[in-house]
């Protein structure tokens, strides 16, 4: 098939036929082509329609990945990595068909170096599995995007989540990766030292590349000591602006808050109803502090002062694990709480991120937009990063309902870009945000294309994601 | 000129002649070709011989940079960015000749966003100039590689230094850059949001690229609040191992130490003599804590306990600025203190970085090597990162003296690589460490070459650095 056809998203029928035959013979039951398997591996939590791969390989070793990539590369057939399928912008779809590599059986911990606070894992392990494994070492992996995603998927979408404000994002917590590149060889992007100035930062190039430059076969992660003490609580504010002012002061004073989450009034109403809470249905910050007995008490007291200064209500905090877990379970269930607001409607989860000084404006303008258009769309944000999510409940059964949702997303992204923000803080571009990426970075996207074409000249790795090549 | 000639490091005499003529006419006095100017811009603090550019442009605006790059690109002539010339691995040398762009006049602060804790600067501003500018805002830029380097140079070598253990390296503190690419256009790698999942991480691709992918025209940096209180002190240990054990425990317990520097016995002897100190001449940790009155006291007390447990002497700390400055001035003067040990000899400053658990072994084996070969080479390290420097004093007047130095560097790097470390934690590859990069990352270096060839097909940006293309 001509490269221009592959770029244009056409299916390479001959190549796919050959690859399916070879992989069936090579892997037997571990390579599945039944529709239910293929459908499971294209499922996506957006309104973007599913596009099924032609077969699913359940990889068990890095050598399996090398074989699959070599076979696909020879035939110029797409290869798409699959962790748990929790990505939100169509990242695992197969618009040109091809092979999905499922990593659920590559979920081993390969090495833990407790003294160095690092570990190396296979890409299919989920963050919860990893933390269960680590519990006895006194260490934990902090990044928590909400979903129990796989580490490989989290690395590939540059995920972050509730405690990025303290621990950073995947970009800050991946020390190195191994990846199978277009020639079927495995490379390692860095050694295990905590920092390096040795050449281009290939680790950060693979983190966030959404599987378009190669297939990860292992990830080396930074770990953290489990805090001696964890305290948390919630505090309500009269306005989003007041809550955001409290966030800015907290960050400026250097209080090392571990989580600082903003839930708007609609989200609070949903959480109260769904999780049986009795919080005020006004903008609320959920907080968590990690440290020693002394430091979490100190930090909580400092925050309480800030909250009072910004017109917030009383800050009630607790180090009691049960009460704290109830609070955070409500936060983690925010998605389901929203869905319960309108069970008949579909849900579209989208995210943008702006400089913190613009967060209050961006949220307030978005709320006004929601109201003006008669939409139902709770807002929840990782306020310490200026990142927020809107869960738009919409009718996906009608073209008009879909258009309403699409137009809302366009306005939301243009608002964030106008504030020097980004069209995605943590969900990635996938298929859903390509147009916004062009608006956001302009000519820089051409550099991305040049990198892609250099490392994957036949466009076999997750084609049709992040940007169009033609 | 054929590309293969440029790759092989040949001078493009015709192109250079044309470029010099055009730039002279265009920029007048701002483009200098006198030997003293050219020699200043090739000076390097290593034993690598100087290789002069053919002319030096004192750029004043991003447009100047665009013009220079366009002219050089048309003629396929090298362009090399120059900050302060404090790089240590020959990064500013011009092996194929070409044009050096001096950024000393592009040293403005373009924007400070105090609420967002960020600022945007031109690449030529030094870190000390920036911190003087920021003083009234209550913010500071923490990265401190020792030398008063330019921000553009620090970004390009992925610099770090004494307080990376707390604040990270340039990779963690650059939010975005603007750069002129091979087609003479300026791109911006990211918006001002604190995090983003929007496409490939071009910011991190330019940070550490040593000017080989384009020329930076501005850098947006994360800033920190100036700590309310700074405390510091020193603590001596019977052995390097005991000191490193204390470092590991400090990091594992999550004590947010701002600096934790290891000086070996030879370095302590040099510092005592040079700075008039009276410390024990045994392995010593210099520490600094940033926080509030309460937290620096708490952290200092916690460290004192750890030090005692590891067999260290008494940890004397102070929040008195004058005493603290005396201590850190001695640390910053370590280079000159070493030079004073043997005024007749040349000095070679080199760095490696290993996982912290291997730091004690790596330092001890290096000390044994130094002793075995009768060398004089104090060691000072950013112990919290596993990064250390050796300042080898050697005779650069004889081939034998140079060979002794080169062989020592080979052994040092092989030792670090054998411990899964990197050949450079913060100095970069430049011309000096190319062979070690190949040993360190093998096939991954081919990916770097592919990226380089995609973004700079005529190899005009700082050729002959990081890796050989042919």
């Amino acid at each position: 098939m001509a490269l221009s056809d592959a770029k244009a998203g056409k299916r390479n029928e001959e190549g796919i036929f050959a690859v399916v035959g070879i992989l069936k013979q090579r892997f037997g039951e571990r390579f599945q082509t039944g529709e239910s398997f293929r459908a499971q591996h294209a499922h996506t939590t957006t309104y973007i329609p599913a596009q099924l791969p032609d077969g699913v390989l359940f990889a068990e070793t890095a050598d399996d990945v090398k074989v699959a990539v070599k076979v696909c590369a020879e035939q110029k057939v797409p290869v798409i990595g699959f962790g748990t399928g929790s990505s939100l912008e169509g990242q695992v779809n197969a618009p040109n068909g091809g092979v999905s590599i499922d990593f659920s059986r590559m979920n081993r911990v390969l090495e833990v170096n407790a003294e160095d606070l690092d570990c190396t894992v296979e890409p299919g392990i989920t963050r919860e599995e990893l933390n269960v494994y680590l519990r006895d070492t006194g260490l934990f992996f902090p990044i928590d995007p909400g979903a129990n995603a796989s580490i490989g998927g989290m690395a590939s979408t540059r995920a972050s989540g509730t405690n990025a404000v303290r621990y950073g994002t995947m970009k800050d917590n991946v020390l190195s990766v191994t990846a199978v590149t277009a020639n079927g060889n495995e490379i390692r992007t860095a050694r295990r030292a905590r920092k390096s100035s040795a050449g281009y930062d290939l680790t950060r190039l693979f983190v966030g590349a959404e599987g378009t430059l190669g297939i990860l076969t292992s990830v080396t992660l930074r770990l953290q000591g489990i805090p001696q003490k964890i305290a948390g609580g919630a505090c309500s504010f009269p306005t989003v602006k007041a809550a955001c002012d409290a966030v800015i002061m907290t960050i400026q004073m250097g209080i090392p808050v571990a989580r600082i989450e903003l839930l708007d009034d609609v989200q609070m109403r949903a959480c109260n109803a769904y999780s049986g809470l009795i919080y005020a249905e006004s903008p609320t910050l959920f907080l968590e502090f990690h440290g020693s007995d002394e430091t979490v008490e100190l930090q909580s007291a400092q925050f309480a002062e800030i909250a009072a200064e910004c017109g917030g209500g009383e800050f009630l905090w607790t180090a009691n694990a049960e009460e704290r877990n109830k609070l955070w379970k409500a936060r983690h269930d925010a998605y389901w709480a929203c869905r319960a607001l309108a069970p008949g409607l579909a849900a579209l989860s989208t995210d943008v991120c702006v400089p913190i000084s613009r967060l209050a404006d961006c949220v307030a303008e978005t709320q006004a937009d929601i109201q003006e258009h008669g939409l139902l769309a709770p807002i929840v944000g990782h306020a310490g990063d200026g990142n927020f999510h809107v869960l738009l409940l919409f009718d996906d059964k009608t073209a008009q309902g879909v258009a309403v949702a699409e137009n809302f997303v366009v306005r939301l992204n243009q608002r964030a870009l106008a504030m020097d923000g980004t069209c995605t803080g943590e969900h990635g571009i996938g298929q859903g945000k390509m147009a916004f990426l062009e608006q956001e970075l302009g000519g820089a996207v051409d550099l991305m294309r040049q990198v892609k074409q250099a490392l994957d000249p036949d466009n076999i790795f997750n084609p049709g994601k992040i940007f169009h090549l033609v």
Side-chain angles (χ1 to χ4, degrees), chain A:
Chain A
M1 186 170 70
L3 182 58
S4 59
D5 288 343
K7 285 182 185 172
K10 290 192 193 154
R11 281 175 57 82
N12 167 7
E13 296 295 355
E14 260 177 66
I16 289 169
F17 182 81
V19 162
V20 166
I22 296 167
L23 295 183
K24 259 190 182 157
Q25 188 162 24
R26 171 76 192 230
F27 292 105
E29 288 296 300
R30 292 206 281 125
F31 183 70
Q32 293 287 342
T33 54
E35 191 173 348
S36 66
F37 281 103
R38 297 192 293 117
Q40 276 167 15
H41 287 80
H43 93 85
T44 157
T45 14
T46 64
Y47 62 97
I48 297 167
Q51 296 166 314
L52 279 54
D54 294 282
V56 178
L57 173 66
F58 290 87
E60 293 181 352
T61 64
D63 279 341
D64 290 349
V65 178
K66 279 192 236 178
V67 168
V69 169
K70 269 189 183 146
V71 169
C72 287
E74 264 164 32
Q75 302 290 337
K76 303 188 182 177
V77 162
V79 194
I80 303 153
F82 184 94
T84 66
S86 55
S87 57
L88 291 160
E89 294 291 349
Q91 275 94 345
V92 298
N93 261 340
N96 310 357
V99 174
S100 173
I101 302 186
D102 179 298
F103 281 96
S104 58
R105 299 183 194 174
M106 278 182 73
N107 66 344
R108 285 161 286 233
V109 176
L110 301 175
E111 192 178 284
V112 177
N113 301 289
E115 284 201 321
D116 298 315
L117 282 79
D118 70 47
C119 71
T120 300
V121 300
E122 290 181 330
I125 193 169
T126 68
R127 63 176 186 84
E128 289 180 6
E129 285 170 350
L130 175 59
N131 279 326
V132 167
Y133 184 97
L134 291 173
R135 203 173 283 160
D136 294 341
T137 64
L139 301 173
F140 80 117
F141 178 66
I143 309 301
D144 173 5
N148 185 22
S150 69
I151 295 296
M154 288 169 63
S156 294
T157 49
R158 208 182 299 133
S160 47
T162 51
N163 47 27
V165 63
R166 164 89 178 240
Y167 298 105
T169 76
M170 287 303 278
K171 124 179 123 49
D172 308 300
N173 287 281
V174 175
L175 274 176
S176 73
V177 301
T178 55
V180 176
T181 59
N183 59 10
N185 294 333
E186 196 177 21
I187 57 119
R188 183 182 179 195
T189 57
R191 296 296 189 103
R192 209 161 55 74
R194 285 177 87 75
K195 68 180 193 190
S196 173
S197 286
Y200 300 165
D201 192 344
L202 296 179
T203 306
R204 252 52 58 182
L205 189 60
F206 278 92
V207 170
E210 301 188 13
T212 62
L213 299 178
I215 303 284
L216 303 188
T217 46
S218 76
V219 184
T220 299
L221 297 167
R222 291 178 74 146
L223 302 174
Q224 302 285 334
I226 295 175
Q228 186 193 331
K229 196 82 166 194
I230 301 179
C235 184
S236 68
F237 290 82
T239 60
V240 166
K241 173 82 169 63
C244 289
D245 284 345
V247 173
I248 289 172
M249 278 179 77
T250 304
I251 304 288
Q252 273 189 328
M253 282 184 58
I255 301 173
V257 60
R259 308 183 200 240
I260 187 162
E261 297 282 298
L262 172 69
L263 291 77
D264 82 346
D265 51 342
V266 183
Q267 182 66 62
M268 287 305 294
R269 176 157 59 86
C271 286
N272 278 349
Y274 187 82
S275 300
L277 304 176
I278 49 162
Y279 286 107
E281 294 180 356
S282 63
T284 301
L285 292 176
F286 283 21
L287 291 105
E288 192 167 279
F289 301 100
H290 294 178
S292 62
D293 285 346
E294 297 95 327
T295 56
V296 300
E297 183 157 347
L298 190 67
Q299 292 165 25
S300 302
Q302 284 175 316
F303 177 77
E305 268 180 50
I306 291 172
E309 208 171 305
C310 295
E314 197 179 355
F315 175 53
L316 295 170
W317 64 275
T318 174
N320 177 292
E322 204 176 321
E323 289 172 46
R324 197 166 38 76
N325 287 342
K326 193 176 171 194
L327 180 76
W328 286 103
K329 180 151 188 349
R331 167 64 190 88
H332 273 132
D333 286 343
Y335 175 83
W336 300 109
C338 293
R339 296 298 301 262
L341 285 178
L345 295 182
L348 183 160
S349 173
T350 190
D351 89 308
V352 294
C353 187
V354 294
I356 306 183
S357 64
R358 305 308 307 275
L359 179 61
D361 290 342
C362 200
V363 170
E365 289 178 26
T366 302
Q367 288 177 321
D369 178 341
I370 290 166
Q371 199 155 21
E372 188 187 331
H373 289 83
L375 304 173
L376 183 56
I379 290 175
V380 52
H382 310 313
D385 302 320
N387 183 204
F388 69 95
H389 302 268
V390 186
L391 195 84
L392 179 66
L393 299 161
F394 75 106
D395 178 6
D396 65 340
K397 305 287 185 302
T398 67
Q400 201 205 342
V402 172
V404 164
E406 286 177 338
N407 291 336
F408 171 80
V409 171
V410 168
R411 293 191 302 275
L412 174 66
N413 280 280
Q414 282 170 349
R415 190 175 301 126
L417 293 180
M419 294 177 178
D420 212 359
T422 175
C423 67
T424 173
E426 56 186 22
H427 291 180
I429 299 295
Q431 297 177 310
K433 293 208 159 171
M434 289 186 184
F436 306 122
L437 178 66
E438 297 284 344
Q439 290 170 37
E440 180 172 332
L441 295 180
V445 185
D446 288 333
L447 266 73
M448 297 184 197
R449 287 189 184 92
Q450 289 163 6
V451 170
K452 166 78 173 171
Q453 283 166 331
L455 300 195
D456 180 21
D458 293 320
N459 193 25
I460 63 166
F461 291 124
N462 209 6
K465 312 298 163 67
I466 306 184
F467 40 70
H468 294 293
L469 283 172
V470 283

